[in-house]
Amino acid sequence: MKLSKESKGMGMPWEDSYGYAQAVKVGDTIYLSGQLSHDAQGNMVGAPPLDEKGRILDHANMEIQMRQTYENAKSLLGQFGATLDNVVEEVLYVTDMDAAFAVAGTVRKAAYGVEKPNVASTVLVTPRLALPTQLIEIKFVAKV
């Protein structure tokens, strides 16, 4: 039995170079690949300073990157006629747990538009994400 999938993208160069879909809808479920804080041209919003070895020196832009990441997820969900209200699960991958926790409550509440988002959420720390200036990546699952 062939699975019926509908996929969407954002036109970012890494979609073709890595070879993946930004989002895939199967039945009433939308799976969003890890979203990050790029603008429409693929430039990192809130890029932190790096040392000579390409390591992040400062995580102060975590809030800027987190806000942009949620905006990108909204845009991608919108391609399916969905919103963040349809999200049932998210997984946040961050490069600094303290910086993420310092801003996550405020940013998430603003993104979802409610004081206590009705979303299962997991936060994991990792030493590095796909792009050197990336502080956060968020994976989403939504139901429509």
Side-chain angles (χ1 to χ4, degrees):
M1 180 173 116
K2 183 168 171 71
L3 190 62
S4 177
K5 299 185 219 178
E6 178 185 358
S7 64
K8 302 286 183 181
M10 298 179 84
M12 295 296 111
W14 48 83
E15 293 171 24
D16 291 333
S17 63
Y18 184 70
Y20 76 107
Q22 288 275 359
V24 177
K25 182 179 178 208
V26 178
D28 67 350
T29 305
I30 303 169
Y31 302 90
L32 266 61
S33 293
Q35 297 300 298
L36 52 133
S37 70
H38 60 79
D39 63 15
Q41 291 73 44
N43 302 306
M44 187 65 68
V45 174
L50 303 176
D51 69 12
E52 66 281 348
K53 293 184 178 180
R55 292 178 299 216
I56 296 167
L57 290 171
D58 184 349
H59 290 82
N61 287 347
M62 182 68 74
E63 181 173 356
I64 293 166
Q65 286 202 8
M66 193 178 292
R67 286 185 189 282
Q68 184 64 44
T69 300
Y70 278 103
E71 288 302 316
N72 290 347
K74 286 181 193 179
S75 174
L76 195 51
L77 287 166
Q79 292 187 43
F80 293 99
T83 69
L84 286 177
D85 288 337
N86 297 97
V87 172
V88 295
E89 180 183 26
E90 63 180 17
V91 179
L92 291 79
Y93 301 90
V94 299
T95 55
D96 186 279
M97 190 64 76
D98 293 333
F101 260 91
V103 299
T106 301
V107 173
R108 291 181 69 258
K109 290 173 185 180
Y112 287 104
V114 295
E115 190 60 28
K116 187 175 178 185
N118 196 13
V119 176
S121 184
T122 302
V123 183
L124 301 168
V125 70
T126 182
R128 161 108 196 255
L129 291 160
L131 303 176
T133 56
Q134 195 179 345
L135 301 175
I136 184 166
E137 183 168 317
I138 308 175
K139 176 188 177 309
F140 298 87
V141 177
K143 292 292 224 173
V144 291

